[in-house]
PDB file of all heavy atoms in Angstrom:
ATOM      1  N   ALA A 174     -43.412  40.155  31.455  1.00 94.00           N
ATOM      2  CA  ALA A 174     -43.289  39.058  30.523  1.00 94.00           C
ATOM      3  C   ALA A 174     -41.868  38.580  30.339  1.00 94.00           C
ATOM      4  O   ALA A 174     -41.582  37.381  30.191  1.00 94.00           O
ATOM      5  CB  ALA A 174     -43.980  39.430  29.219  1.00 94.00           C
ATOM      6  N   ARG A 180     -37.513  33.178  33.920  1.00 95.00           N
ATOM      7  CA  ARG A 180     -37.714  32.004  34.833  1.00 95.00           C
ATOM      8  C   ARG A 180     -37.969  30.771  34.130  1.00 95.00           C
ATOM      9  O   ARG A 180     -37.495  29.713  34.499  1.00 95.00           O
ATOM     10  CB  ARG A 180     -38.806  32.388  35.808  1.00 95.00           C
ATOM     11  CG  ARG A 180     -38.395  33.378  36.914  1.00 95.00           C
ATOM     12  CD  ARG A 180     -39.515  33.720  37.816  1.00 95.00           C
ATOM     13  NE  ARG A 180     -40.505  34.567  37.175  1.00 95.00           N
ATOM     14  CZ  ARG A 180     -41.854  34.486  37.460  1.00 95.00           C
ATOM     15  NH1 ARG A 180     -42.266  33.688  38.275  1.00 95.00           N
ATOM     16  NH2 ARG A 180     -42.652  35.294  36.780  1.00 95.00           N
ATOM     17  N   ALA A 181     -38.812  30.808  33.097  1.00 96.00           N
ATOM     18  CA  ALA A 181     -39.212  29.638  32.346  1.00 96.00           C
ATOM     19  C   ALA A 181     -37.884  29.012  31.694  1.00 96.00           C
ATOM     20  O   ALA A 181     -37.712  27.807  31.736  1.00 96.00           O
ATOM     21  CB  ALA A 181     -40.266  29.883  31.350  1.00 96.00           C
ATOM     22  N   ASP A 184     -35.785  27.330  34.173  1.00 93.00           N
ATOM     23  CA  ASP A 184     -36.345  25.994  34.551  1.00 93.00           C
ATOM     24  C   ASP A 184     -36.014  24.995  33.544  1.00 93.00           C
ATOM     25  O   ASP A 184     -35.597  23.863  33.901  1.00 93.00           O
ATOM     26  CB  ASP A 184     -37.958  26.123  34.697  1.00 93.00           C
ATOM     27  CG  ASP A 184     -38.360  26.697  36.014  1.00 93.00           C
ATOM     28  OD1 ASP A 184     -37.528  26.918  36.875  1.00 93.00           O
ATOM     29  OD2 ASP A 184     -39.574  27.094  36.102  1.00 93.00           O
ATOM     30  N   LEU A 191     -40.343  25.436  23.189  1.00 96.00           N
ATOM     31  CA  LEU A 191     -41.611  24.986  22.625  1.00 96.00           C
ATOM     32  C   LEU A 191     -42.757  26.032  22.810  1.00 96.00           C
ATOM     33  O   LEU A 191     -43.779  25.954  22.249  1.00 96.00           O
ATOM     34  CB  LEU A 191     -42.061  23.670  23.218  1.00 96.00           C
ATOM     35  CG  LEU A 191     -41.253  22.457  22.853  1.00 96.00           C
ATOM     36  CD1 LEU A 191     -41.597  21.303  23.735  1.00 96.00           C
ATOM     37  CD2 LEU A 191     -41.465  22.062  21.391  1.00 96.00           C
ATOM     38  N   GLY A 193     -42.244  29.165  22.169  1.00 95.00           N
ATOM     39  CA  GLY A 193     -41.959  30.232  21.250  1.00 95.00           C
ATOM     40  C   GLY A 193     -40.833  31.144  21.700  1.00 95.00           C
ATOM     41  O   GLY A 193     -40.639  32.137  21.119  1.00 95.00           O
TER      42      GLY A 193
ATOM     43  N   MET B  82     -43.028  26.943  16.479  1.00 95.00           N
ATOM     44  CA  MET B  82     -44.180  27.242  17.330  1.00 95.00           C
ATOM     45  C   MET B  82     -44.861  28.592  16.741  1.00 95.00           C
ATOM     46  O   MET B  82     -46.071  28.658  16.758  1.00 95.00           O
ATOM     47  CB  MET B  82     -43.693  27.489  18.758  1.00 95.00           C
ATOM     48  CG  MET B  82     -44.779  27.635  19.839  1.00 95.00           C
ATOM     49  SD  MET B  82     -45.203  29.407  19.911  1.00 95.00           S
ATOM     50  CE  MET B  82     -46.400  29.300  21.221  1.00 95.00           C
ATOM     51  N   GLN B  83     -44.002  29.520  16.354  1.00 93.00           N
ATOM     52  CA  GLN B  83     -44.550  30.759  15.744  1.00 93.00           C
ATOM     53  C   GLN B  83     -45.355  30.557  14.508  1.00 93.00           C
ATOM     54  O   GLN B  83     -46.065  31.467  14.086  1.00 93.00           O
ATOM     55  CB  GLN B  83     -43.381  31.760  15.613  1.00 93.00           C
ATOM     56  CG  GLN B  83     -43.029  32.346  16.974  1.00 93.00           C
ATOM     57  CD  GLN B  83     -41.647  33.004  16.916  1.00 93.00           C
ATOM     58  OE1 GLN B  83     -41.061  33.307  15.918  1.00 93.00           O
ATOM     59  NE2 GLN B  83     -41.051  33.181  18.118  1.00 93.00           N
ATOM     60  N   PRO B  97     -41.714  24.898  36.968  1.00 94.00           N
ATOM     61  CA  PRO B  97     -41.944  24.950  38.435  1.00 94.00           C
ATOM     62  C   PRO B  97     -41.831  26.299  38.982  1.00 94.00           C
ATOM     63  O   PRO B  97     -42.444  26.589  40.081  1.00 94.00           O
ATOM     64  CB  PRO B  97     -40.789  24.009  38.951  1.00 94.00           C
ATOM     65  CG  PRO B  97     -40.026  23.551  37.783  1.00 94.00           C
ATOM     66  CD  PRO B  97     -40.572  24.069  36.531  1.00 94.00           C
ATOM     67  N   SER B  98     -41.108  27.219  38.492  1.00 92.00           N
ATOM     68  CA  SER B  98     -40.943  28.606  39.014  1.00 92.00           C
ATOM     69  C   SER B  98     -42.153  29.477  38.724  1.00 92.00           C
ATOM     70  O   SER B  98     -42.207  30.605  39.172  1.00 92.00           O
ATOM     71  CB  SER B  98     -39.716  29.272  38.483  1.00 92.00           C
ATOM     72  OG  SER B  98     -38.631  28.479  38.601  1.00 92.00           O
ATOM     73  N   GLU B 103     -49.182  31.989  35.321  1.00 96.00           N
ATOM     74  CA  GLU B 103     -48.029  32.401  34.524  1.00 96.00           C
ATOM     75  C   GLU B 103     -47.611  31.304  33.486  1.00 96.00           C
ATOM     76  O   GLU B 103     -47.155  31.631  32.369  1.00 96.00           O
ATOM     77  CB  GLU B 103     -46.875  32.585  35.513  1.00 96.00           C
ATOM     78  CG  GLU B 103     -46.907  33.890  36.290  1.00 96.00           C
ATOM     79  CD  GLU B 103     -45.753  34.044  37.294  1.00 96.00           C
ATOM     80  OE1 GLU B 103     -45.368  33.007  37.851  1.00 96.00           O
ATOM     81  OE2 GLU B 103     -45.249  35.155  37.406  1.00 96.00           O
ATOM     82  N   GLN B 110     -47.476  34.090  25.120  1.00 87.00           N
ATOM     83  CA  GLN B 110     -46.479  35.197  24.936  1.00 87.00           C
ATOM     84  C   GLN B 110     -46.373  35.408  23.452  1.00 87.00           C
ATOM     85  O   GLN B 110     -46.146  36.516  22.994  1.00 87.00           O
ATOM     86  CB  GLN B 110     -45.191  34.858  25.622  1.00 87.00           C
ATOM     87  CG  GLN B 110     -44.421  36.094  26.016  1.00 87.00           C
ATOM     88  CD  GLN B 110     -43.615  35.832  27.325  1.00 87.00           C
ATOM     89  OE1 GLN B 110     -44.084  35.249  28.306  1.00 87.00           O
ATOM     90  NE2 GLN B 110     -42.333  36.163  27.278  1.00 87.00           N
TER      91      GLN B 110
END
Side-chain angles (χ1 to χ4, degrees):
Chain A
R180 283 178 290 144
D184 281 348
L191 288 173
Chain B
M82 189 272 182
Q83 283 160 18
S98 309
E103 285 178 322
Q110 208 148 313

